[in-house]
Amino acid sequence: MTSGALSVKDFLDKAKLVSYGFFGLLILFLILFFSAPFLLISKADPKKSDAIILEAIETGKKDKFKQAAALWKKGLAPVILILHSPPNQDSDLGLVGDPTASLQTYLVSLGVEETKILVYTVDAGPQEFPKTLLKIALDRQWKTFLLIGKEYDSATLLKLYRNVLEPAGIYIAVSKVSEGIGSWDWFTKPKSLESILGRLSKHLYLILLGN
């Protein structure tokens, strides 16, 4: 055997290391893949708060508004605060004219008192919602919030808001709106698979950024 040649034993040892690394990464990927729904769902317990928060991005979604109205009627918060970003044609609320009045009117139609609805328009876009909420909280001396969010967005939303609010001693939880996506069979449907993996990528990206 010439000097420097790889023996059969050394070759097999190296092959084992490569295979262990490959299967280790594969197992890690599979664990991450199948646990995706549980990583994306918030575990924070909703409790009685100073305000229920609604994000009205592209005017919002009806299911979120209905849940906010139901929680308000149950007495979970005295007011509903809407953080509003200017609408586009994707709205499913059918807003016409002044968005502030239209958002209030829609919630009133769901049984919420008009005087208990606050609307803040954030022209800079939804990325500024947490900072806007912090300013409102400090101004009004509010300490607890209940944010309405889609089930598989809830952990990401909680992370974004807590990074801004927690340093000021403000508590926020997410009331989850069901999306009709099963946590055990989401990967069997192409639309659910695409949706969950896209949101998982965003969530992991925020973690890598330290947000």
Side-chain angles (χ1 to χ4, degrees):
M1 183 180 295
T2 59
S3 177
L6 191 66
S7 68
V8 173
K9 182 179 183 302
D10 288 340
F11 174 79
L12 291 175
D13 288 342
K14 288 183 182 294
K16 281 182 181 179
L17 287 174
V18 171
S19 64
Y20 289 157
F22 172 77
F23 285 111
L25 288 173
L26 179 61
I27 291 170
L28 182 62
F29 170 78
L30 290 174
I31 291 172
L32 188 63
F33 180 84
F34 287 108
S35 64
F38 306 101
L39 293 174
L40 295 174
I41 297 175
S42 162
K43 306 300 188 297
D45 294 327
K47 62 181 182 181
K48 195 166 184 178
S49 304
D50 293 311
I52 293 169
I53 307 302
L54 267 172
E55 289 188 330
I57 303 168
E58 299 169 354
T59 70
K61 294 293 182 182
K62 287 182 178 178
D63 51 358
K64 292 199 299 183
F65 276 66
K66 289 175 180 176
Q67 184 146 318
L71 293 175
W72 179 83
K73 290 175 185 177
K74 290 179 179 178
L76 259 71
V79 298
I80 295 178
L81 190 155
I82 302 173
L83 297 172
H84 173 245
S85 182
N88 67 19
Q89 296 178 348
D90 293 332
S91 165
D92 71 349
L93 291 178
L95 298 188
V96 179
D98 177 20
T100 298
S102 298
L103 288 165
Q104 288 175 326
T105 299
Y106 186 71
L107 277 175
V108 168
S109 74
L110 296 173
V112 182
E113 294 178 26
E114 186 174 353
T115 57
K116 304 300 183 182
I117 304 166
L118 305 175
V119 182
Y120 287 79
T121 300
V122 185
D123 292 324
Q127 69 276 4
E128 293 298 314
F129 283 177
K131 292 180 182 178
T132 300
L133 184 58
L134 175 61
K135 292 176 183 176
I136 296 168
L138 295 175
D139 181 55
R140 293 176 175 268
Q141 297 187 334
W142 285 343
K143 290 295 183 181
T144 55
F145 293 107
L146 181 55
L147 175 68
I148 308 298
K150 290 183 178 180
E151 187 174 16
Y152 293 102
D153 288 333
S154 58
T156 302
L157 283 171
L158 192 64
K159 193 168 190 59
L160 289 170
Y161 276 85
R162 278 188 168 176
N163 285 341
V164 176
L165 299 176
E166 276 196 340
I170 299 168
Y171 178 85
I172 187 164
V174 180
S175 177
K176 299 176 283 289
V177 177
S178 175
E179 300 182 60
I181 300 175
S183 59
W184 298 104
D185 63 352
W186 58 274
F187 50 87
T188 63
K189 302 170 185 176
K191 285 187 177 180
S192 299
L193 178 65
E194 181 182 359
S195 176
I196 295 297
L197 290 182
R199 290 189 243 188
L200 178 63
S201 298
K202 179 181 177 181
H203 188 71
L204 295 177
Y205 179 67
L206 289 173
I207 293 174
L208 289 174
L209 288 179
N211 293 332

